[in-house]
Amino acid sequence: MSDTSGSTAPAGASAPAPLISTIDGDVPDGLLDAFDAYEAALAANDQEALADAFEDSPGSLRADGNGLLVGHEAITAFRGRRGVAPSRSVVQRHIRVLDDGAALVVSVNAPASGGRGVVTQLWRRSAADGTWRIAVAQVQAPTPVFDTRIWRVVGAPLVPSSADSAAADALIDGLGSADDESVPGPLTGETVAVKDLFAVAGHRVGAGVPSFLSEQDPAPFHSPAVQALLDAGASILGIAQTDEFAFSIAGRNSAYGTPPNGVVPGAISGGSTSGPASAVALGHVSIGLGTDTGGSIRVPASYQGLWGLRTTHGVVRRTDVLPLAPTFDTVGWLTRSASLLGAVASATLTGVSASAVPQQRPVESSFVVDPRLLSSLSEGVRDAFEGFLGASIESGLIDAPAEVALGDIAHLYELFRVIQAAEAWQSHGAWIEAHPGALAPDVSARFEFGRSVTPSQESAARDELEVQREHLEHVLADRILLLPSASSAAPSLTATPAEFDRIRSNTLGLTCIAGVGGLPAVSAPLLEVPAGPVGLCLVGPRGGDLALVEVAAALAA
Amino acid sequence: MSDTSGSTAPAGASAPAPLISTIDGDVPDGLLDAFDAYEAALAANDQEALADAFEDSPGSLRADGNGLLVGHEAITAFRGRRGVAPSRSVVQRHIRVLDDGAALVVSVNAPASGGRGVVTQLWRRSAADGTWRIAVAQVQAPTPVFDTRIWRVVGAPLVPSSADSAAADALIDGLGSADDESVPGPLTGETVAVKDLFAVAGHRVGAGVPSFLSEQDPAPFHSPAVQALLDAGASILGIAQTDEFAFSIAGRNSAYGTPPNGVVPGAISGGSTSGPASAVALGHVSIGLGTDTGGSIRVPASYQGLWGLRTTHGVVRRTDVLPLAPTFDTVGWLTRSASLLGAVASATLTGVSASAVPQQRPVESSFVVDPRLLSSLSEGVRDAFEGFLGASIESGLIDAPAEVALGDIAHLYELFRVIQAAEAWQSHGAWIEAHPGALAPDVSARFEFGRSVTPSQESAARDELEVQREHLEHVLADRILLLPSASSAAPSLTATPAEFDRIRSNTLGLTCIAGVGGLPAVSAPLLEVPAGPVGLCLVGPRGGDLALVEVAAALAA
């Protein structure tokens, strides 16, 4: 091995950086030229040259902080949506020659925007045309300070648990010493991502809309759902992003971007509890606190392989939570394990902070399905769902679910859609009228629909909602409805608006059932299709929240 | 290429994750066993097995988010200080066989703590003992939400610029519309890391000490130095870490850890403006706002290849900045470019917010050196300093500096040390006495020294300080003193306490000159030694801050 230099370039020096370089073996002809040409193509954002620099093979690999892409097609699609990479200079290059036609090159680069990046590339000379191409690359770009697609503000922690705050207060008052140990709560050591709809004392609520945020005052108190977690021993790590006014289930946000899906590279996060979901999936925190109006807990749980609970409508107080559609709005949580989901629900629903909450009730492990709900599923989801049921019945885990007829699903969805949109407009219409252009077109269109709903249409829908609620209660008869949490795995970021619309409608056809009934629902990460995970959804009777988590956990065993 | 599976494992599912695996070529005997054994050694934190898994060669490479380590020795040292890696399961494995004795393996893992990691490894079979070992590895662990060694709280942004706030206020008052364009300021678009000593309205000051932080109330106003940057158009990205009560130049913090050096993997950041320095070096922000009592801007600038300015004592108001030693405390900034450093200084020193500030004055490019300052430099620093001077003289950039005798450097340092420690104890002694054990041993020892200084010792030191100040002013005679910013490149995190002490003393022997004189000083990233960058320091006359940055920029040309 030869070492051609031994110095480090200072960041920001104006002179060209000296190159540290080590070489093991005889560098084959053409390799260095190919390396330099690739850097030049990056600088010029020459898509064609970049695509040609990778072997045109389904076995080509490219990994970065967002995950691993397999195959030339996936790699090229990524480049198309990335845009220009920041300019960078190579400050170290280490070559490990494998043979005359293959070499590994590890390089360190200094982006003009600061920090250092590292790239490992396997270069191979094509037998066909003699050209050097990349077979495998792993790219480490400088880590941004934090991912603003996921988070709006974070601290270490942002808000300490109530026990930690009390210890500090006692110190100030001379009532304790630094050695005092407080009694651990059920959530001691857990960390929380709070969806940006909940009041966190001292912070403003942003609802995913920067111009809305900029006009708010800091909240004087925590929302009860936030306070309950703090009282149980958890600390708040930060305030996480949401779809604009939470009026979406995709997770896309026109101002902050789409949080990355923690398990499917290049896929959307699911929303509207998008930031907390990605934060939990990526291991930033253990608990995501969010809301679910029409699927905003269940859909991101489904897309990112998480456990999620949408609570019974009304059991968690929504004081100091920005509303979307109060008839359907509920509080919920996301976790990576069923046991923690149960602990969070228990701490909030039975803790001292929740004394006004209706009693929880037991739920039998008696399941039903409605085949009509399985008609609009994407490829593989129906098979995965039926396969899971079949295996669970065969293994004796469950009895065969009874078939029920919930009614006309399209009719239920339409009722939900009309009332949701009308209430959303009542919640935010005045602000939206005063701020033209503040929202993404798809979200704006949904609010516009809400504006168009007449009082008589709304009144008729409310009457019919009562009828359908009673019907649902009668048909379900305290049993648990099983269905997929979403109509598909997480779609790609590159889906068209029409595709997103179709997927949204199909998924809301599933998720609106719990919305219409005001029922609790668990999404459990128990199904999977080639495109990624899908949740198994359990919809239970009102007040059966805690029992439902236990039943779902048993299904995962 | 064969594709043995096509599914993605949901995070948090309790069943073993199915493996996606693609293979190109015939997998050589023993490779998969070696791969599995390595994962097992990681899980067991078996240091010996891990060290043996890498080729014992100076050419072995290992890269992760902290940078690239070259050579088996560096890699093994890293493992020793890392501790146990979180447990993880491999969910994808892609093998690219190069020949019977070499293969690239790219694997995706799912840590129990969430997220996904990617590892690329070049495995080679040893010709000597037939064992498969890793020659090159690049490791991408899940990105933590943010680096709490660097930051305490961050937002998107945490505080918008004054122009952005005004636009929001105008909207609320009905005085403007969302389309209003505000006039850009000189720092529009720039982002700031604020050292955790400055008041940021709505946030507490933590001073790098969690138990101190927990007892503070949110600040009602911004410190003037913060306000000046906001008024010039910059936004505050967050509050960054500092050494405990800023009483160190190393950057190590016993509660939050040592911020990573942005350019030298495994080295300390320099302090006490440690968090802002790493944030600027890593490209998190463009501006670091800090303080410099005995080198707390210049040392991290030197260690991380940044531009830094310690201002003339008193020219930037220190209202609502936590003091260390008011006789020496100054405000300063860190940037990646001389031009931005000049813009920041100009905006603060000549902006409307700073109307009470003394006039700035011009400075001649007339340089002096004191050979006595070069006696305690680490390997290579003296050569680099003299080499830079020689080259600059030869190229006609500067005239040969005159030699001056500043006096007994050890005496100056002792004066500085006594007064600094006495004032530090006056600033924080009462709190420290009430909180035994709250500080790291080295910081605590320095405060204890301050406690031990008697009033008569302090008074004598102050009298002598006046004498030495006049002497310095007389000797320098409005010329610019050139010296290295620190006695060495950034030392390794693994240095012993005795080594840190020695490096601290040697560097303070250089940096105390500006402290004693109350003089402005620029650190410019213009020197380098094998271990990393070193700053060239320019110490100028009082009030020559802006001119000094211009002179330094000319030296870099």
Side-chain angles (χ1 to χ4, degrees), chain B residues 298-472:
Chain B
R298 292 163 285 163
V299 175
S302 183
Y303 286 180
Q304 300 200 51
L306 300 174
W307 287 86
L309 172 63
R310 166 207 156 89
T311 53
T312 303
H313 186 258
V315 304
V316 179
R317 281 181 291 154
R318 300 194 307 283
T319 314
D320 297 327
V321 182
L322 201 73
L324 175 62
T327 293
F328 304 118
D329 291 345
T330 66
V331 169
W333 307 276
L334 295 157
T335 64
R336 292 188 300 274
S337 75
S339 58
L340 181 57
L341 185 62
V344 170
S346 177
T348 303
L349 295 174
T350 66
V352 287
S353 307
S355 51
V357 154
Q359 288 286 320
Q360 287 285 303
R361 49 160 289 181
V363 176
E364 300 260 322
S365 287
S366 175
F367 301 102
V368 302
V369 295
D370 182 343
R372 261 150 296 226
L373 289 169
L374 308 181
S375 60
S376 301
L377 302 179
S378 297
E379 194 182 357
V381 174
R382 182 175 190 141
D383 288 348
F385 177 69
E386 293 181 339
F388 179 86
L389 289 189
S392 299
I393 296 164
E394 197 171 332
S395 69
L397 191 62
I398 63 171
D399 293 331
E403 284 197 8
V404 295
L406 300 175
D408 180 347
I409 306 298
H411 177 59
L412 292 179
Y413 173 37
E414 187 59 17
L415 279 181
F416 174 84
R417 193 174 83 93
V418 166
I419 298 170
Q420 180 195 33
E423 292 190 359
W425 183 256
Q426 287 149 23
S427 297
H428 301 297
W431 189 91
I432 291 168
E433 282 193 320
H435 297 77
L439 301 180
D442 59 332
V443 177
S444 184
R446 289 196 278 279
F447 276 109
E448 282 302 314
F449 170 65
R451 185 216 290 252
S452 77
V453 176
T454 64
S456 65
Q457 285 170 327
E458 185 184 340
S459 170
R462 287 191 188 282
D463 292 345
E464 177 63 8
L465 181 72
E466 284 314 305
V467 173
Q468 292 300 330
R469 276 190 172 165
E470 279 178 32
H471 175 68
L472 267 183

Side-chain angles (χ1 to χ4, degrees), chain B residues 209-258:
Chain B
V209 183
S211 47
F212 179 81
L213 169 73
S214 69
E215 298 172 21
Q216 306 307 303
D217 288 321
F221 304 108
H222 299 307
S223 178
V226 171
Q227 188 67 54
L229 297 177
L230 292 170
D231 289 348
S235 59
I236 307 298
L237 191 80
I239 297 171
Q241 301 290 7
T242 168
D243 293 69
E244 293 152 79
F245 289 125
F247 204 170
S248 169
I249 56 171
R252 299 184 304 156
N253 183 298
S254 64
Y256 296 106
T258 305

